[in-house]
Structure formats: C-alpha cells, structure tokens
C-alpha cells in the first residue's frame, strides 16, 4: 500500500479492528464522527484473525462470547457449536463488519508504529509503518490484551532447519503434520487446544511443558436447536444477567466456604463442573473462598490432580501433568477437548522441562539437558506479552515526549484502565487496570466502547478539547486494584496476569479485580459526577 502524502485529519483514530475496534467503529459511525479505524491485518477479527492454529476455539460459550448491542444480530446469527471454533468466530466478525457497513471505515494493512501528542495543537500525530500520518484529536486503542506474541526466548531458534509455527501467527493455509515429528512448546490454552489435534495427525508429537496447567473438559457439543430457541427467546435477560456476574460470565456460583462443605458435598460440586457444566470458571466458583483461601483452594486442586491420575495411564506422565507450585485457578484455567487423554497415545510424549530443561534449539531439533530431540516441525505455543504489550508496540509518547514505555517500566498504572495520566485524549479499551480479559471480554468490550463513545459525544457537545486522567486518580486506582489483588491467590502464580511470563516485566496484577458489576457502577458514577479523576479543558 502506498503512503499518503499529507496527514489524514480526523476527530478520532481507532487502532484495531477486532471485536473492540469493530464495535467502536459502529458507535463512531452512528455518532457521526470524522474517524478512521486502522488495522494491521488485511481483515477484521483481531485475535480470531491471527490465532488460526488447529483446535482454536472459544472458551466462553458462544451465545455469551458475542455482541449483545443489536437484537436482530443476535437473533439471526446461528452458532453451530456450544464453543465455536476459530473459523466460525472469524466469520461472525466478518459478518458484523459487512452487516453494519463498517469496512468502508477501516484501513487494513496499516500498523501504527508511533503516536505522538502535540501539546500546542492538542492533537495526536500517528504514523503507520508505510509512512501514512493520521492527525486526530482523539485516539481509541482497540488492540486487545493478547495480541503481542512473546518472542521465542530460546537460544538457537534461527538455526532450526525444519518448519516453525507460532500458534499466535498461524498460516492461512492448513499445516499438514502427516508423517512428521512435531514438537509443541508451551501448555497454556493455545497448547492445550492444539495438542490433541496435532497428535492425531503427526507421526510423533513431543510436548515440552515448563509449567503444568489446570484444564477442565469443555464438554463442547453441537448446538441444540431447542436450547438455542430458548436462549434466543430470553436473550435480553441473559445478557443483563451476565452484567451482574463478577466475571461477566454466567456461571453457577456457590454460596458457602469449601470448609463448611462435607467431603461428599465438595466432590459432588466438583464432579458437576467436570462432568456436566464445562465452563472454565465453574470449578473455582463452586465455593466462595477458592480464590482467597489456600486451604480451601487445595480441595479443588487435589480434585483435579486426582482426575488427571485417573485419566493418564502412565504414572510418571500423570505426575508430570499435575500442576504444582501455584494455587488452582491462579493462572487462567483452560478448557480442553481430550487434552489429558492425548497423553495415552502411543505417538505422544511429554517432556517435563522442570526436570530436563531446554538448553537450545539446534539445526535438527531441541536439545534438553539430557537428550537431543529431533523434529521436522516446532510449534511455539509460548504466549503473549499480555495487556500492556499490545499498547507498548504503538510507540506512544504523551506530554513533553513522555514515552508510555517509560511510564510503565516500573508499573502498569492507568485510571480505570481507560486512560494514562500524561496522555490526554487517549482511550485504551480493555487496558491494564480494566476488567478486560479477566472477565468475559465481550461484556467488558461493549461496556468500555459505550462509555468511551458517550464520553466522546459529551465532549463534542460541550466543546471540550482535552480530557486527561489526573495522576492522583490514577495512583488511587492502581493502589486499590493492587490491594484487591493482594487479597486473592492470583498474586501467587507466575502468570501473564501478573506480567510474570515476560522476563523483566514489572510484576503486578494487570486487570481490575473488583468485578464487572462494580466496575460498571464506578464508570457510571465517574460520569454522573462530571468525570471524577479527569481534567477537562475547553
Ligand atoms: P500462555 O497461557 O502464556 O501459555 C504459554 C505456555 O508457554 C506456558 O505453558 C509457558 O510456560 C510456556 N512457555 C512460555 N515461554 C516458554 C519458554 N521460553 N520455554 C518453555 N516454555 C515456555 O499462552 P497461551 O496458551 O497462548 O494463552 C494465553 C491466554 O490467551 C490464555 O490464558 C487465554 O486467556 C487466551 N487464550 C484463549 C483461548 C480460548 O479462548 N480458547 C485460546 C488460547 C488462548 P510457563 O507457564 O512456565 O510460563
């Protein structure tokens, strides 16, 4: 694409055309702003555009992981499975873009590499990789929380002569594993979903696991037409109910401590999750204290350990697959379809990197401390520089040349996850300090977009030129969220929630811990009180 010669003048530049960016595009179009959405990819879909690995599917039921803003849309769209697979979710995003005429407002193949605040003119000057310049009063980032892949971090990576794939940047053409010796490095959600599928195709599959993960059976199934008719008849109520749940996700919640239950009651509650419910957050919600009390948490952890021992036949492999060293659900729990069973296959082997760490990648494979493993293909399912990473890639500089990268070097502070002090007129959808991907992100996306859109309209109506979070409000928000997080077991795991999966990243819980309903309430209160914690200037 050729670059434009003069800057493109806009009220609002939206960065990203995933689910947040699409809805933001829709809202700005409705409100008649002069705006443009830019997208690095050549199509919409965000996460669901890039993560095309085999087995990629949603781990929130599709009737909840979808837009609620348009009744006709939710009535007409048919999900074929309880948990839709990536191609279907991508088709849904494409459908939304077409149905609401959004594509004409999106400039594809446009990756923003710098965004610099011009204080004199009170405008953002953003530059794309191809040199195109956008001059806008506001920027709304819709770059997602899990869109900046982690680099391989393993010595010798360039030396490997075989095929290399990243789950987060999967090719558009299917990859054929037939007859091949395949390695998968990483056992988070992406590994857990892809491993069972790759195992069925490959000649041999070796899984390199650094930290064993907690995963529950998804109990995925084709959509039942009668159930779907019931849901559609009550869709509005279902969406409203989701907003009242801490996670923005409808999940049965227990009302008493795990300590108050008898062993039989605990087993019955856990069995129901494993055998009947199949929602990633269900087991942690069975009792009130599994996220806060280590002893209570251990009941759930030991239950899963026992299920693993029952499924996996080889005792050493079963033992290696048992998560240790962190509480149950302190890392994001995965949902799987036959993950543990896969390790009973003759062609699958597990390497426990805690016992036998990777030394380097060689021309022919992976050298661990004890063995050279030869491969035709290496798949990296090694995750993301989450939450802050996607924003830091934009090269953002605020007042007085202040770089966002410098501000966040020590701590990822924001006000409400929506703004950073020193960066006026920059709104960060699902940014650090928002419920973001700690919740059903679709619920949070809709709430964020609606709040930002109403704010932008309000500022326009009142002739406000700049809006900026105050350092004091930001400090208070950041401290309060840390306080809430410190009261949970989340802080005890080296997770991407904590920034602990990226060497050198500051260790803080990066998402809002107060829950979706409280967050919504605070957002409404802030506006009702004239944007508490923000400075507005005409
Ligand atoms: P992840 O959860 O961060 O998992 C990455 C895996 O790679 C971990 O097992 C990690 O081990 C391992 N790893 C990273 N660097 C490594 C290294 N240098 N050497 C060896 N192992 C290494 O990433 P993810 O699986 O892509 O999932 C990220 C998040 O995306 C999920 O938690 C979920 O929220 C979302 N997601 C959702 C879906 C879905 O909806 N279905 C699917 C995929 C992802 P350590 O744990 O030891 O760091």
């Amino acid at each position: 694409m050729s670059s434009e010669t003069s800057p493109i003048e806009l009220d609002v530049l939206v960065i990203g055309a995933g689910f947040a960016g699409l809805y933001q595009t829709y809202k700005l179009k409705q409100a008649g702003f002069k705006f443009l959405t830019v997208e690095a990819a050549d199509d919409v879909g965000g996460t669901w555009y890039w993560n095309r690995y085999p087995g990629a599917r949603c781990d929130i039921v599709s009737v909840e992981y979808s837009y609620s803003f348009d009744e006709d849309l939710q009535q007409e769209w048919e999900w074929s499975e309880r948990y839709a697979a990536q191609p279907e979710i991508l088709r849904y995003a494409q459908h939304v873009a077409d149905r609401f005429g959004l594509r004409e407002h999106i400039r594809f193949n446009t990756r923003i590499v710098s965004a610099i605040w011009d204080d004199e003119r009170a405008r953002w000057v953003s530059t794309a990789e191809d040199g195109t310049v956008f001059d806008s009063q506001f920027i709304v980032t819709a770059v997602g929380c899990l869109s900046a892949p982690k680099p391989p971090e393993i010595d010798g990576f360039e030396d490997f002569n075989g095929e290399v794939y990243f789950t987060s940047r999967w090719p558009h053409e299917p990859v054929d594993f037939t007859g091949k010796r395949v390695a998968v490095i990483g056992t988070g959600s992406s590994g857990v979903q892809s491993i069972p599928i790759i195992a069925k195709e490959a000649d041999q599959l070796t899984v390199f696991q650094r930290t064993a993960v907690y995963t529950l059976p998804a109990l995925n199934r084709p959509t039942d037409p009668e159930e779907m008719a019931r849901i559609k008849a009550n869709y509005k109520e279902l969406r409203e109910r989701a907003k009242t749940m801490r996670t923005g996700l409808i999940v049965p919640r227990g009302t008493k401590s795990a300590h108050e239950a008898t062993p039989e009651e605990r087993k019955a509650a856990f069995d129901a999750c494993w055998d009947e419910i199949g929602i990633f957050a269900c087991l942690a919600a069975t009792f009130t204290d599994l996220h806060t009390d280590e002893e209570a948490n251990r009941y759930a952890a030991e239950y899963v350990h026992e299920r693993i021992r029952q499924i996996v036949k080889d005792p050493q492999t079963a033992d290696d697959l048992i998560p240790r060293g962190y509480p149950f659900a302190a890392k994001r729990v995965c949902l799987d379809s036959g993950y543990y069973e896969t390790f009973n296959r003759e062609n699958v082997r597990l390497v426990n990197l805690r016992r036998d760490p990777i030394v380097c990648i060689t021309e022919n494979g992976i050298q661990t401390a004890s063995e050279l493993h030869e491969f035709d293909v290496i798949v990296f399912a090694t995750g993301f520089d989450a939450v802050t990473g996607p924003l830091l890639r934009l090269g953002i500089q605020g007042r007085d040349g202040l770089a966002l990268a410098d501000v966040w070097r020590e701590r990822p502070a924001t006000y409400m996850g929506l703004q950073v002090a020193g960066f006026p007129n920059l709104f960060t959808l699902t940014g650090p300090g928002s419920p973001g991907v700690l919740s059903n992100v679709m619920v949070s996306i809709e709430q964020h977009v609606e709040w930002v859109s109403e704010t932008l309209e309000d500022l326009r109506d009142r002739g406000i030129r700049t809006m900026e979070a105050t350092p004091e409000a930001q400090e208070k928000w950041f401290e309060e969220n840390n306080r809430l997080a410190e009261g949970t077991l989340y802080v005890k795991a080296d997770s991407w929630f904590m920034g602990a999966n990226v060497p050198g990243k500051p260790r803080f819980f990066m998402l809002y811990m107060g829950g979706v309903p409280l967050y919504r309430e605070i957002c409404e209160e802030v506006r009702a009180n004239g944007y508490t914690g923000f400075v507005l200037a005409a």
Side-chain angles (χ1 to χ4, degrees), residues 11 32 61 89 93 218 223 246 250 293 295 309 315 383 401 403 419 445 447 471 483 522 529:
D11 299 332
V61 288
I89 305 175
T223 302
R246 268 187 73 82
I250 299 177
D293 176 334
E295 291 299 315
R309 285 192 201 97
Q419 268 212 358
I445 280 173
Q447 186 267 343
R483 192 189 64 76
I522 293 171
N529 294 333

Side-chain angles (χ1 to χ4, degrees), residues 53 57 59 150 186-190 193 210-211 331 383 496:
Y53 59 84
R57 67 175 65 248
D59 62 5
K150 262 195 350 154
T187 53
S189 296
S190 307
Q193 287 188 334
R210 190 164 68 183
T211 308
K331 282 184 170 219
W496 60 258

Side-chain angles (χ1 to χ4, degrees), residues 46-359:
T47 283
W48 302 103
Y49 173 93
W50 297 106
N51 292 265
R52 296 165 186 250
Y53 59 84
R57 67 175 65 248
C58 199
D59 62 5
I60 291 176
V61 288
S62 292
V63 292
E64 291 184 57
Y65 189 92
S66 48
Y67 291 118
S68 72
F69 70 83
D70 188 277
E71 180 61 14
D72 290 343
L73 171 68
Q74 65 183 10
Q75 288 297 330
E76 74 199 16
W77 184 264
E78 302 289 346
W79 293 109
S80 69
E81 291 176 274
R82 183 177 189 223
Y83 291 108
Q86 174 272 334
E88 188 170 348
I89 305 175
L90 182 59
R91 276 201 302 282
Y92 174 74
Q94 291 164 335
H95 170 74
V96 170
D98 295 333
R99 190 188 190 287
F100 296 104
L102 305 181
R103 285 183 191 275
E104 63 198 81
H105 300 281
I106 304 172
R107 195 179 195 272
F108 293 103
N109 301 302
T110 305
R111 181 181 289 284
I112 297 297
V113 290
S114 87
I116 297 172
W117 174 251
D118 177 343
D119 206 25
E120 233 161 74
R121 295 188 308 120
R123 292 184 67 87
W124 283 98
V125 179
S126 309
T127 308
E129 213 165 30
D130 68 1
T132 309
V133 177
F134 305 89
D135 188 306
S136 62
Q137 187 184 357
F138 297 96
I139 294 180
V140 181
T141 63
V143 289
C145 294
L146 295 156
S147 55
K150 262 195 350 154
E153 292 171 358
I154 299 174
D155 288 346
F157 164 70
E158 295 83 7
D159 300 337
F160 183 60
N161 284 334
E163 299 162 57
V164 172
Y165 301 101
F166 288 80
T167 50
S168 53
R169 288 290 176 274
W170 203 259
H172 288 210
E173 303 311 318
V175 174
D176 186 4
F177 294 106
T178 319
K180 292 181 182 158
R181 298 162 303 168
V182 181
V184 173
I185 305 176
T187 53
S189 296
S190 307
V192 161
Q193 287 188 334
S194 56
I195 284 163
I197 311 285
I198 296 173
K200 284 185 192 148
E201 221 179 87
D203 186 39
Q204 297 165 28
L205 171 64
T206 308
V207 175
F208 291 84
Q209 171 196 276
R210 190 164 68 183
T211 308
V213 77
Y214 283 99
T215 171
L216 307 180
L219 311 179
N220 188 31
R221 54 176 184 261
T223 302
D224 168 12
E226 276 178 27
E227 186 189 357
M228 191 50 83
R230 267 199 312 277
I231 288 171
K232 286 194 174 179
N234 298 295
Y235 227 147
K236 269 205 176 115
E237 290 76 11
L238 179 135
R239 302 294 199 173
E240 286 309 311
R241 214 174 128 219
K243 291 178 196 167
T244 68
M245 310 296 287
R246 268 187 73 82
T247 50
L249 182 71
I250 299 177
V251 58
R253 297 197 77 87
T255 52
K256 65 179 177 185
S257 156
H259 298 300
E260 287 166 20
T262 63
E264 293 73 28
E265 282 172 328
R266 283 194 295 266
K267 182 171 181 315
F270 296 155
D271 277 349
C273 293
W274 193 281
D275 298 321
E276 292 159 35
I277 300 174
I279 295 177
F280 85 85
C282 67
L283 212 147
T286 44
F287 297 98
T288 52
D289 44 4
L290 299 189
H291 277 300
T292 50
D293 176 334
E294 274 188 83
E295 291 299 315
N297 184 282
R298 207 160 293 147
Y299 293 126
E302 282 170 7
Y303 173 84
V304 179
H305 298 178
E306 189 48 36
R307 295 295 299 227
I308 296 170
R309 285 192 201 97
Q310 285 166 8
I311 299 170
V312 180
K313 293 193 182 117
D314 175 59
Q316 182 63 62
T317 306
D319 197 58
D320 286 338
L321 285 166
I322 287 174
R324 294 197 172 88
Y326 67 97
F328 168 72
K331 282 184 170 219
R332 174 70 149 73
V333 173
C334 305
L335 268 193
D336 70 275
S337 298
Y339 178 67
Y340 294 123
E341 290 81 352
T342 297
F343 292 91
N344 291 333
R345 294 177 65 99
E346 290 288 316
N347 67 333
V348 175
R349 179 179 168 192
L350 180 70
V351 175
N352 181 345
L353 299 179
R354 301 277 171 187
R355 273 209 313 276
D356 190 11
I358 294 177
V359 176

Side-chain angles (χ1 to χ4, degrees), residues 7-22:
I8 299 174
E9 301 283 331
L10 303 164
D11 299 332
V12 191
L13 176 71
V14 179
I15 306 177
F19 280 121
L22 280 178

